[in-house]
Amino acid sequence: MNEPVVTKSIGSRVRAGVATWVAVLVVLRLFVLQPERCESPTVGEVEASAAAAVNWLVRNQNRDGTWLYRYNVETNRDLGGYNLSRHSGVTLSLYQAAAAGIPGAWESAERGSRYLAGRLIPANGGRAVDEQGSEVAIGPSALWALALGERRLATDDDAYDEVLRDLGRFLEGQIEENGAVSERWDRHRDRLVPGAYSPFFTGEAYFALSRLERLFPDEPWESAADRVGRYLAVERDAAEDRFPAVSDHWAAYGLAETALWRALTADEADYAHRLGGIFGPQIRYASQRTESWFTHRTRGRRTLGAGLGTLGEGTTSLWMLGGVEPAAADLRVAAGERSVCVAAMLIERQIDATEARAFDDARRAAGTWVQFGITQMDDQQHALSALLRATPILEAAL
Amino acid sequence: MTWLVGVLLVLAAINPALRWHELPSDRRQVAVGSGITLAVLLFLGAGGDWILESLDITVPTFRVGVGLVLVIRAIADLLKPVPQAIAPAGGLRSGVVPAFFPVLFRPEVALVGVLVAVDAGIGWMLAGAVLALLDVIWWAGRPRPLVRSLAALFSVGAVVLAIAVIVDGVFAL
């Protein structure tokens, strides 16, 4: 027989049961399972949003090829500053847009490239995009190599091939014994600065070297790309003491690129899955954020357009990877869903032409993503890339 | 989620050894409560995808929520004294109250049922539920050896599985 000697009345037990149910469901919904707002946009909406971002970059490009860097839409103030990595990144996104046929993107990207071409200096047996100071960061060179690679793929124009190769040689010279990539080059010693690493330049270099192997398969780029890829997959986060692990959309691009010319290793495939586990929760969390008082307090404010865009770039890369690499095929469905979700959030959060009229300078506000009233050109860059790369996912679902 | 984890999750969520303390000793009443529980779980499991979609919740996020509920419940079960028996009532209506509700049909059971149905398959959710409910029917009204240890074992298992589910949810694409 049952052992308890104390009994409870049915009424009190039922009341406690009802209270538990209500408490659990209410607390769960309010604090853990908030709605993830992931509409499915149409291809047309995605293209229109991407075109608006391109138009912002076109309208806000200076005569020398640089872009308006940082701008407060609410106070109509140019906040100044500039960053060559972001210049190269914007150039890359514009070549992506040009490949998608968005008017104005090609001309703007070409002006951006001409600006960078004027800053090339010999380095590491190749050439690098120069920056002020005794040490030169590799980001501008890696991203410009990616931009030129995109240009080459879209047009077959070989005008920049020698520059591409020189940028590749420069990046190759930045690779250390174990595959780590030094983030800076010492102009006086003409060598890498040992022990200096960036969370993103390594992935950029990996993607660039992998793209060079794809573009020029008869040339020896494979080994350099493989060394960096292995380092990223098995060593980087521990060796560079990165915790939490880097949300490295460039590495995801690189893996998708590598899978186009060889099968991924088991370590690389495993890394792709780990990257999915980094992008996914961020996207799900971001999709729960609204402008309401309550979600500001329980989920924080909405992330930067650039931040959201990088997540979309990461998941679109995993979607593409899943389509060509059997060891990553299981990522494809979820990567596609998250990519579309990011595209929907980007569209919803972009200042459209109507909303822009509320600001002093609608030409500088329309097409942007802002946080605290401020937009930076890489907001448009990453959002644009994420939108463009979501288009084939939506088309595949049609 | 593998089928084995799914089955074990349902078993751990129901925790038949712990329910034995609260359930009526009349086996027919327990059988009625178990049958209703199984039917409701089947209904919820079949509509699991629709429920999550309607609430705008993705499966990985749902895993986190369900895992949290289960881990809190299991830890509470480990720390609390065994539940008190509910004053007996006559007739098969006791199969509804208290056997089905509030004893067997609890938030963690319903949530785990939906999760396992959408994540591992409704068949495995049902398999786990049938195993657990057959257990409660079999032991109803019978002296059950090592019942406290067994209940604690289920709770520990629930904690371990719930943490695994949370981790799986957090780090899923």
Side-chain angles (χ1 to χ4, degrees), chain A residues 1-4 6-8 10 13-14 17-18 21 24 28-29 32-33 35-36 276-277 280-281 284 288 315 331 335 338, chain B residues 20-23 25 55-58 60-61 65 84-87 97 101-102 105-107 110 143 148 169-173:
Chain A
M1 197 51 224
N2 295 7
E3 64 179 27
V6 184
T7 60
K8 272 188 144 182
I10 288 182
R13 195 62 183 77
V14 167
V18 170
W21 264 96
V24 167
L28 209 52
R29 183 60 165 174
V32 185
L33 302 179
E36 295 166 69
R284 297 197 306 274
Q288 297 173 25
T315 52
L331 292 171
R338 302 295 166 260
Chain B
W20 174 85
H21 292 283
E22 301 173 280
L23 284 166
S25 53
L55 294 171
D56 289 326
I57 300 167
T58 55
T61 304
Q84 297 170 341
I86 297 173
V97 178
F101 183 84
F105 190 62
R106 312 158 74 89
R148 288 177 190 232
V170 168
F171 295 106
L173 173 59

Side-chain angles (χ1 to χ4, degrees), chain B residues 80-112:
Chain B
K80 285 192 316 185
V82 291
Q84 297 170 341
I86 297 173
L92 291 182
R93 277 190 303 177
S94 290
V96 181
V97 178
F100 165 66
F101 183 84
V103 176
L104 289 173
F105 190 62
R106 312 158 74 89
E108 69 273 20
V109 173
L111 290 165
V112 165

Side-chain angles (χ1 to χ4, degrees), chain B:
Chain B
M1 180 183 292
T2 65
W3 66 268
L4 182 61
V5 169
V7 170
L8 291 176
L9 262 175
V10 177
L11 271 167
I14 293 177
N15 195 340
L18 198 60
R19 299 290 83 79
W20 174 85
H21 292 283
E22 301 173 280
L23 284 166
S25 53
D26 184 327
R27 196 169 300 144
R28 289 174 310 154
Q29 293 174 346
V30 175
V32 169
S34 297
I36 299 170
T37 303
L38 196 64
V40 174
L41 285 178
L42 178 62
F43 179 75
L44 289 175
D49 287 318
W50 180 85
I51 292 169
L52 296 190
E53 205 168 303
S54 303
L55 294 171
D56 289 326
I57 300 167
T58 55
V59 173
T61 304
F62 191 56
R63 282 185 207 137
V64 177
V66 174
L68 283 172
V69 170
L70 185 59
V71 80
I72 290 168
R73 180 77 219 188
I75 289 171
D77 285 342
L78 280 169
L79 299 177
K80 285 192 316 185
V82 291
Q84 297 170 341
I86 297 173
L92 291 182
R93 277 190 303 177
S94 290
V96 181
V97 178
F100 165 66
F101 183 84
V103 176
L104 289 173
F105 190 62
R106 312 158 74 89
E108 69 273 20
V109 173
L111 290 165
V112 165
V114 172
L115 176 66
V116 173
V118 298
D119 225 359
I122 194 165
W124 297 116
M125 184 275 284
L126 283 177
V130 167
L131 279 175
L133 295 171
L134 283 176
D135 181 283
V136 298
I137 295 168
W138 171 258
W139 288 106
R142 295 181 177 175
R144 185 161 192 172
L146 301 171
V147 67
R148 288 177 190 232
S149 303
L150 197 56
L153 190 65
F154 274 116
S155 293
V156 170
V159 170
V160 172
L161 288 168
I163 291 170
V165 166
I166 292 169
V167 171
D168 201 25
V170 168
F171 295 106
L173 173 59

Side-chain angles (χ1 to χ4, degrees), chain A residues 84 167 199 209 229 275 306 314 367 385:
Chain A
L84 279 178
L167 292 169
L209 292 164
L275 283 173
S385 295

